[in-house]
Amino acid sequence: AQSVTQLGSHVSVSEGALVLLRCNYSSSVPPYLFWYVQYPNQGLQLLLKYTSAATLVKGINGFEAEFKKSETSFHLTKPSAHMSDAAEYFCAVSISNDYKLSFGAGTTVTVRA
Amino acid sequence: EAGVAQSPRYKIIEKRQSVAFWCNPISGHATLYWYQQILGQGPKLLIQFQNNGVVDDSQLPKDRFSAERLKGVDSTLKIQPAKLEDSAVYLCASSLGYRGSSYEQYFGPGTRLTVT
């Protein structure tokens, strides 16, 4: 079975600083990987996804993630944090041809002015 | 395009009572999912429908939880009787299909259930 581990339940960054959220996956077959964002009292919104094409994936709101098979990682980055990036972020994995998602525990991002 | 609708948004009940949640997916989406999100955890899939048939309900506690999607459109999730550990946000999501990478899941705002 596939799973993901998100390192760090809380991340605090200054406005304008780099945002780095870590995600490591476990899968016996090539995975599909996703990052979702959840704003307070809202559902999840897809930021970006990796589905075995380019290893560097660009998403919405200036986020990107790089699939590194050798490190079994799919870390999410944004060069310059904005106050509106304060939210909870979830990494998720599915295996090809089976779209059931397994989510990590989430990382809460706070942005300091 | 309207998103996934859920109601109610909030519900407080006492343990051993029953509760029902409703979800209306995006028009044309054949696949519907119910997730349970306990505070501090990621969403966990409870049940997945393809049209009005169940694809996966392996994680659904069937002694107290039930779900249906009678006409392949909207869906209800019921808990009877509720336990304290059922306190969570219940998320509904829908997608065009469920096989292949192009089938993005779209999530509703969720129903926050508190069992006292």
Side-chain angles (χ1 to χ4, degrees), chain A residues 6 10 20 23 25-26 29 34 38 40-42 49 52 55 58 60 63 88 98:
Chain A
Q6 292 184 241
H10 289 88
L20 170 61
C23 172
Y25 70 90
S26 171
V29 298
F34 308 81
Q38 186 176 33
N41 298 315
Q42 295 186 28
K49 63 182 179 183
S52 74
T55 57
K58 294 186 183 299
I60 61 172
F63 285 93
E88 189 158 20
D98 181 344

Side-chain angles (χ1 to χ4, degrees), chain A residues 23-38:
Chain A
C23 172
N24 289 90
Y25 70 90
S26 171
S27 178
S28 58
V29 298
Y32 289 173
L33 293 157
F34 308 81
W35 276 100
Y36 283 84
V37 62
Q38 186 176 33

Side-chain angles (χ1 to χ4, degrees), chain A residues 13 34-35 44 62 70 81 89 93 97 101:
Chain A
V13 298
F34 308 81
W35 276 100
L44 280 72
S70 60
Y89 293 79
V93 63
N97 207 37
L101 296 172

Side-chain angles (χ1 to χ4, degrees), chain A residues 38 41 43 49 97 99-100, chain B residues 9 37 42 56 99 101 103 108:
Chain A
Q38 186 176 33
N41 298 315
K49 63 182 179 183
N97 207 37
Y99 212 71
K100 282 178 284 191
Chain B
R9 292 295 312 276
Q37 185 178 15
D56 183 359
R99 291 197 178 275
S101 64
Y103 293 141

Side-chain angles (χ1 to χ4, degrees), chain A:
Chain A
Q2 62 275 17
S3 65
V4 293
T5 301
Q6 292 184 241
L7 302 176
S9 58
H10 289 88
V11 169
S12 180
V13 298
S14 297
E15 193 173 18
L18 171 73
V19 179
L20 170 61
L21 305 182
R22 300 178 187 273
C23 172
N24 289 90
Y25 70 90
S26 171
S27 178
S28 58
V29 298
Y32 289 173
L33 293 157
F34 308 81
W35 276 100
Y36 283 84
V37 62
Q38 186 176 33
Y39 298 102
N41 298 315
Q42 295 186 28
L44 280 72
Q45 179 183 7
L46 183 65
L47 278 176
L48 48 81
K49 63 182 179 183
Y50 166 78
T51 57
S52 74
T55 57
L56 182 61
V57 182
K58 294 186 183 299
I60 61 172
N61 302 339
F63 285 93
E64 63 180 37
E66 186 172 9
F67 173 70
K68 292 187 176 180
K69 184 178 180 181
S70 60
E71 298 177 8
T72 62
S73 68
F74 191 58
H75 302 332
L76 181 72
T77 60
K78 181 174 180 178
S80 177
H82 191 271
M83 297 300 287
S84 61
D85 294 327
E88 189 158 20
Y89 293 79
F90 293 93
C91 183
V93 63
S94 72
I95 58 174
S96 57
N97 207 37
D98 181 344
Y99 212 71
K100 282 178 284 191
L101 296 172
S102 295
F103 286 89
T107 299
T108 300
V109 173
T110 57
V111 182
R112 305 185 304 272

